[in-house]
């Protein structure tokens, strides 16, 4: 994956992740607030029924349950409770055994009303429990204990359904998904533009390196911004150094080899297959000038040219001139002769190389 693709993917993923997290938080908050609002409305209704029921005084000979059932105020509150909020499914006063004392529908009175899970503890559990309650088909209850004196006579039970909360939640969820899609498109577009702007210096540097590779001289970079000014200056300095190196003439390999051979302390000479001297360095020129007719030297060269094989090493001591003093003969350096047959890559014989090592000089260096 290219740098541009990674940058676009990174920016887009970051934006989408932020929008998704904020949307999830919004949905969780919406679910909690909707359930909390429904519970508060149920509690308000239960309190209204409770205060009216406390004001009911049964006539002599009539029990409290019959008085509550026949009280106009209680009946009015129960009947209006169904339309008070669309999430309420039933409103009832039940005795301690769960039998219905008063209900908006008289046919339900006297029947056992099954208990449902209370809504309050679900709201206190957390976002996951709240979302699970919204998407469940269960009916929840808001309860209020009903006292007769100091004893619990029964309870007020408000049935709550989460179907309408679920519909509201689905609408908000669709809105959040649309927001994520829009954010994805906008983030992708902005990331592409941002990557073009941020990667432009890299493209400029790549173009400059390509021009240097083609051999162009004095290549300069036009990098935008203060951040890349030092990088551009360094690139121009390197370009100037390369230009100076390219314009400077380089010594040939032959010139370097000849310079090395000329400064050798050992004597070196090259001979053609016919025995003609092709090359001699300074030390060999002095040696041949004084001892060109030395029998061992001449014989070694002739045998190498004839047999085309390397020979040696052969130590020799050049004869001192006639009449020389004894100390002069003692100072005459001893030489070690070696010949090498020279062939090309195909095995064709090209000549011979004679090397005369100055053993006296080596002994002096070692000491």
């Amino acid at each position: 994956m290219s740098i541009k693709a990674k940058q676009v993917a990174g920016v887009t993923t970051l934006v989408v992740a932020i929008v998704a997290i904020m949307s999830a938080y919004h949905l969780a908050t919406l679910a909690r607030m909707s359930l909390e609002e429904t519970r508060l409305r149920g509690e308000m209704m239960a309190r209204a029924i409770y205060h009216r029921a406390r004001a009911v005084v049964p006539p002599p000979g009539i029990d409290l349950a019959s008085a509550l059932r026949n009280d106009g105020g209680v009946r009015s509150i129960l009947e209006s409770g169904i339309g008070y909020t669309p999430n309420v499914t039933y409103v009832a006063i039940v005795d301690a055994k769960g039998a219905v004392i008063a209900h908006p529908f008289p046919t339900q009175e006297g029947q056992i009303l099954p208990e449902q899970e209370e809504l309050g503890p679900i709201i206190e559990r957390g976002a996951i429990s709240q979302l699970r309650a919204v998407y469940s088909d269960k009916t929840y209850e808001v309860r209020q204990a009903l006292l007769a004196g100091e004893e619990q006579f029964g309870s007020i039970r408000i049935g709550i359904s989460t179907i309408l909360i679920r519909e509201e939640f689905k609408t908000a969820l669709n809105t959040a998904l649309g927001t994520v899609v829009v954010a994805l498109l906008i983030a992708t577009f902005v990331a592409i533009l941002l990557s073009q702007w941020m990667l432009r210096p890299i493209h400029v540097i790549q173009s400059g390196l390509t021009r240097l590779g083609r051999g162009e001289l004095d290549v300069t970079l036009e990098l935008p911004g203060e951040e890349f000014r030092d990088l551009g200056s360094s690139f121009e300095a390197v370009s100037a150094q390369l230009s100076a190196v390219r314009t400077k003439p380089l010594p040939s390999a032959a010139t370097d080899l000849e310079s090395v051979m000329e400064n050798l302390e050992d004597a070196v000479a090259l001979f053609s297959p016919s025995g003609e001297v092709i090359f001699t360095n300074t030390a060999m020129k002095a040696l041949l000038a004084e001892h060109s007719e030395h029998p061992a030297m001449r014989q070694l060269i002739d045998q190498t040219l004839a047999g085309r094989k390397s020979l040696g090493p052969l130590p020799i001591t050049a004869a001192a001139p006639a009449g020389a003093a004894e100390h002069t003969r003692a100072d005459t350096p001893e030489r070690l002769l070696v010949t090498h047959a020279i062939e090309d890559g195909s095995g064709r014989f090209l000549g011979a190389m004679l090397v005369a090592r100055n053993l006296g000089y080596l002994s002096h260096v070692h000491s």
Side-chain angles (χ1 to χ4, degrees):
M1 184 181 293
S2 63
I3 298 178
K4 180 179 179 180
K6 291 180 180 178
Q7 185 175 8
V8 172
V11 174
T12 304
T13 302
L14 179 62
V15 172
V16 172
I18 293 175
V19 174
I21 292 174
M22 296 301 295
S23 300
Y25 177 78
H26 168 69
L27 293 175
T29 304
L30 178 62
R32 180 179 59 80
M33 293 181 63
S34 299
L35 292 174
E36 184 70 25
E37 181 184 3
T38 301
R39 184 186 69 172
L40 291 176
R41 290 184 178 182
E43 291 177 350
M44 290 177 61
M45 186 183 303
R47 292 193 192 99
I49 298 174
Y50 176 80
H51 289 296
R52 178 58 189 171
R54 293 282 292 180
V56 174
V57 178
I62 299 177
D63 57 1
L64 181 58
S66 299
L68 290 174
R69 185 182 302 113
N70 297 323
D71 183 77
V74 173
R75 178 69 62 180
S76 176
I77 296 176
L78 292 176
E79 292 176 351
S80 63
I82 299 297
Y84 179 72
T85 174
N87 294 330
V88 175
T89 58
Y90 60 84
V91 181
I93 301 176
V94 300
D95 60 14
K97 297 180 180 180
V100 176
I101 298 175
H103 196 279
F105 303 103
T107 56
Q108 299 293 326
E109 295 174 356
Q111 299 183 10
I112 300 298
L113 184 63
E115 287 190 355
Q116 306 294 335
E117 187 177 359
E118 285 195 68
L119 184 61
I122 295 177
I123 299 177
E124 303 299 331
R125 290 175 189 171
I128 297 179
S129 298
Q130 295 167 9
L131 292 175
R132 189 178 300 167
V134 168
Y135 278 94
S136 67
D137 294 331
K138 298 173 58 177
T139 299
Y140 300 92
E141 284 186 347
V142 175
R143 300 173 190 168
Q144 173 69 47
L146 186 60
L147 302 177
E150 298 298 332
E151 297 180 359
Q152 183 173 348
F153 170 74
S155 62
I156 303 169
R157 289 159 62 176
I158 313 295
I160 303 295
S161 175
T162 58
I163 294 178
L164 295 179
I165 298 178
R166 186 190 313 166
E167 295 299 325
E168 182 181 359
F169 190 82
K170 286 181 179 179
T171 303
L173 180 61
N174 293 333
T175 303
L177 291 177
T179 303
V180 171
V181 172
V182 173
L184 176 62
L185 297 177
I186 296 177
T188 303
F189 178 73
V190 173
I192 292 175
L193 296 180
L194 185 63
S195 63
Q196 292 285 357
W197 175 72
M198 294 189 65
L199 295 178
R200 182 177 178 274
I202 297 179
H203 296 323
V204 173
I205 295 174
Q206 182 181 9
S207 176
L209 293 175
T210 303
R211 293 170 59 189
L212 284 177
R214 290 199 301 261
E216 297 185 22
L217 303 179
D218 298 329
V219 179
T220 59
L221 300 181
E222 296 181 1
L223 295 174
E226 298 292 334
E227 297 84 357
F228 297 98
R229 178 172 299 176
D230 294 338
L231 180 59
S233 301
S234 301
F235 186 90
E236 292 175 1
V238 172
S239 177
Q241 293 177 3
L242 290 177
S243 300
V245 171
R246 287 174 177 173
T247 55
K248 182 179 179 180
L250 298 176
S252 62
T255 304
D256 292 342
L257 179 60
E258 184 177 355
S259 175
V260 172
M261 298 293 288
E262 288 294 336
N263 292 288
L264 285 178
E265 182 67 24
D266 295 335
V268 179
L270 297 178
F271 297 87
S272 67
S274 61
E276 179 183 357
V277 178
I278 301 175
F279 169 80
T280 57
N281 65 349
T282 304
M284 181 58 76
K285 290 177 181 178
L287 181 63
L288 292 178
E290 298 178 4
H291 313 291
S292 59
E293 299 302 328
H294 194 289
M297 182 185 301
R298 188 71 255 178
Q299 182 180 5
L300 195 63
I301 295 173
D302 293 340
Q303 290 178 357
T304 301
L305 294 176
R308 299 183 179 182
K309 294 182 179 181
S310 300
L311 299 175
L314 177 64
I316 63 169
T317 302
E326 290 298 327
H327 70 277
T328 305
R329 293 180 180 271
D331 293 338
T332 302
E334 184 180 4
R335 303 253 179 196
L336 190 66
L337 300 181
V338 179
T339 57
H340 300 278
I342 304 175
E343 297 179 348
D344 60 7
S346 60
R348 185 167 59 92
F349 182 69
L350 300 179
M353 179 176 65
L354 173 64
V355 178
R357 304 294 305 274
N358 190 342
L359 297 182
Y361 174 76
L362 290 178
S363 299
H364 176 72
V365 171
H366 290 166
S367 62

